Each structure stands twice: as structure tokens, then as C-alpha cells.
């Protein structure tokens, strides 16, 4: 197996498993740990993986996106803290947009139920949970359902959002960077997110630290569009300060 074949297999394993470990890769591919580390450095340079201590995880691209099932297994305690902190910022908002994805779903589950709220969402899971478990009024955006995230997209969803003026939008992203802003791999998803950003008076990004510094295919918003970025404490304080200089408050929980 040459280097290109080995690196292709490493990426395939990372995408299938959600992450890879240096020691396990070295044993499986019968090469040294240092060879694997070189491979991971190169794959990170090419934007396919992000290295961690002892391994790496896949970066989402135009050709690869994690599904909802995988997202529910990674960083769950951190995502729950992020969701709770984000809900603490709703203030007097009465109409709320909740994005697709697992962290936004946790935000929905943490919303107060002792006051009148209306939630607009593209997420089938979020709409079903809120409708079943709370008195919150739920408006589900119409459109084509993406099997990977169980959320609606295309002109039906964007068109409905275009008719709303929303108090607060909780928005997620596959990547957020100081250079290019917020991104997602799918143009149809990017269109819905961009319309939500335009429709909302206030916008809050909520996402785990691994989203930061990542760029995917379609840009849908600027950092300065958001009043707050809510993430976990694994984002270094120095990096959080760099993002805050672009406008939003950065909250690490």
C-alpha cells in the first residue's frame, strides 16, 4: 500500500467511524505511528481531517457530511451545556427559529414552557419533540426532506422563512472561521440558513469547539451577523477573543 492509498483509507475510516486513533491505525495499516502522524498532518493540510491528541476526526466537505445519528454520539455533554447556555440568552423573544442538527434540537428541548413561544424550524425531529412534549406553537417549514439530517430544504422552506420576521434565530453550522464566516456543505441547506439569518432580529450561533476554524463549501453568514457565539471551553480563550473582536460575544461553557 503506497502513501496515497493509505491516506485514502485513513479518510474512509475516519468518515465511517467518526474518528481515528494513531496507534490503532499504525497497527491496522502495519506502519509506524510517526508515519500515521505525517499522514494526518498532510490530510489536515488538505482540509480532510482535523487532528486531536492521539488521533483525528473528519472535516465535512461538499462530498461528505456526518449524519444526525453520528452527531448524537459525539460531544454530547458539551452540546447539552451549550444548549442550556444558549437558551439562557432568549430574553423576551416570542418567535424563535431553531436550525436543523443535534445541538439545535437540544436547544429546543431546553426551551421554557411557562410562557407563550412560537418556534419555526426545518427539523422534523425538533418539530415532533416540541409538539409532543410542550405547549409551544410549532411551525414546520415545508420542502424536500434531507435524509441525512431529517430537515427540509429548497425553495419551499426558504420561501416560508421569507414571509416571517423572527425575534431570535438559533443557528448552527458545519464550520465557522474568522476568515470566511459560517459555512455548510450543501447549497440547499445554506440557502435556508441564510434566509433565517435575514429573517431574524437577533442571531445566536451554538456549536461545539470542533466547528471553529473549519471551512466547508457554502458560506451563508458572517461572524458579525451574530450577537453571540456559544461553544464549549475546549475553544481556547485566546481564540475566543479573536472571534469576539469581529463583533459577537463569545460564551464558553
Amino acid at each position: 500500500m503506497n502513501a496515497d492509498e493509505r491516506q485514502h483509507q485513513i479518510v474512509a475510516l475516519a468518515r465511517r467511524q467518526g474518528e481515528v486513533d494513531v496507534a490503532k491505525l499504525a497497527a491496522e495499516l502495519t506502519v509506524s505511528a510517526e508515519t500515521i502522524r505525517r499522514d494526518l498532518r498532510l490530510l489536515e493540510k488538505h482540509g480532510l481531517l482535523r487532528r486531536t491528541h492521539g488521533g483525528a476526526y473528519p472535516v465535512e466537505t461538499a462530498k461528505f457530511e456526518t449524519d444526525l445519528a453520528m452527531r448524537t454520539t459525539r460531544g454530547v455533554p458539551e452540546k447539552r451545556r451549550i444548549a442550556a447556555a444558549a437558551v439562557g440568552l432568549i430574553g423576551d423573544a416570542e418567535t424563535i427559529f431553531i436550525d436543523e442538527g443535534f445541538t439545535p434540537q437540544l436547544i429546543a428541548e431546553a426551551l421554557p414552557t411557562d410562557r407563550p413561544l412560537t418556534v419555526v424550524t426545518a427539523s422534523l425531529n425538533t418539530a415532533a419533540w416540541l409538539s409532543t412534549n410542550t405547549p409551544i406553537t410549532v411551525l414546520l417549514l415545508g420542502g424536500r426532506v434531507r435524509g441525512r439530517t431529517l430537515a427540509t430544504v429548497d425553495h419551499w422552506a426558504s420561501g416560508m422563512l421569507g414571509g416571517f420576521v423572527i425575534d431570535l434565530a438559533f443557528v448552527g453550522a458545519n464550520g465557522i472561521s474568522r476568515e470566511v464566516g459560517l459555512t455548510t456543505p450543501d447549497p440547499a441547506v445554506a440557502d435556508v440558513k441564510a434566509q433565517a439569518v435575514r429573517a431574524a432580529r437577533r442571531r445566536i450561533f451554538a456549536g461545539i469547539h470542533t466547528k471553529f476554524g473549519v471551512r466547508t463549501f457554502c458560506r451563508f453568514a458572517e461572524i458579525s451577523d451574530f450577537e453571540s457565539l456559544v461553544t464549549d471551553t475546549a475553544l481556547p480563550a485566546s481564540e475566543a477573543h479573536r472571534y469576539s473582536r469581529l463583533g459577537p460575544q463569545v460564551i464558553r461553557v
Side-chain angles (χ1 to χ4, degrees):
M1 183 184 297
N2 62 34
D4 287 343
E5 292 171 336
R6 186 177 62 250
Q7 290 158 15
H8 178 80
Q9 188 163 344
I10 290 171
V11 172
L13 284 168
R15 289 177 173 180
R16 185 163 62 248
Q17 299 170 180
E19 58 187 341
V20 288
D21 176 85
V22 169
K24 291 180 180 178
L25 284 174
E28 184 172 343
L29 301 176
T30 61
V31 294
S32 70
E34 184 53 39
T35 296
I36 295 297
R37 292 189 188 96
R38 284 198 299 269
D39 288 337
L40 295 183
R41 285 194 292 269
L42 182 61
L43 291 168
E44 184 175 51
K45 182 178 179 181
H46 290 166
L48 296 172
L49 298 179
R50 288 286 296 275
R51 288 183 296 157
T52 62
H53 180 70
Y57 60 88
V59 171
E60 303 190 32
T61 68
K63 293 183 179 180
F64 168 74
E65 182 182 4
T66 56
D67 61 22
L68 197 56
M70 184 177 291
R71 297 177 197 180
T72 62
T73 63
R74 299 186 64 199
V76 176
E78 293 88 347
K79 291 174 181 178
R80 290 195 184 279
R81 293 200 305 270
I82 290 165
V87 168
L89 301 175
I90 64 173
D92 59 0
E94 297 180 352
T95 55
I96 299 172
F97 171 80
I98 296 183
D99 206 353
E100 64 169 52
F102 182 56
T103 302
Q105 184 178 323
L106 295 176
I107 290 172
E109 294 175 8
L111 288 174
T113 57
D114 59 350
R115 53 186 279 193
L117 291 177
T118 297
V119 168
V120 179
T121 186
S123 167
L124 273 65
N125 283 356
T126 292
W129 193 93
L130 288 173
S131 298
T132 302
N133 295 284
T134 75
I136 292 171
T137 299
V138 181
L139 300 180
L140 176 63
L141 301 175
R144 173 174 61 88
V145 178
R146 298 178 74 234
R148 186 167 293 277
T149 58
L150 294 180
T152 55
V153 292
D154 292 337
H155 66 274
W156 300 277
S158 298
M160 285 184 69
L161 273 172
F164 296 139
V165 178
I166 296 170
D167 293 331
L168 172 63
F170 289 113
V171 180
N174 300 77
I176 175 171
S177 75
R178 290 181 283 113
E179 295 78 14
V180 302
L182 283 75
T183 55
T184 191
D186 190 315
V189 175
D191 188 52
V192 174
K193 290 177 182 287
Q195 186 60 59
V197 169
R198 288 192 290 268
R201 293 191 179 100
R202 300 170 54 211
R203 308 121 188 155
I204 293 172
F205 167 80
I208 198 165
H209 73 279
T210 56
K211 305 283 187 181
F212 285 76
V214 174
R215 310 176 187 187
T216 59
F217 183 49
C218 301
R219 177 167 55 189
F220 65 86
E222 303 291 342
I223 301 294
S224 58
D225 291 329
F226 292 80
E227 68 173 50
S228 299
L229 311 178
V230 186
T231 188
D232 59 279
T233 54
L235 181 73
S238 58
E239 188 66 5
H241 177 67
R242 294 184 185 100
Y243 279 88
S244 69
R245 293 180 65 184
L246 299 175
Q249 173 189 25
V250 181
I251 300 171
R252 300 158 64 243
V253 295

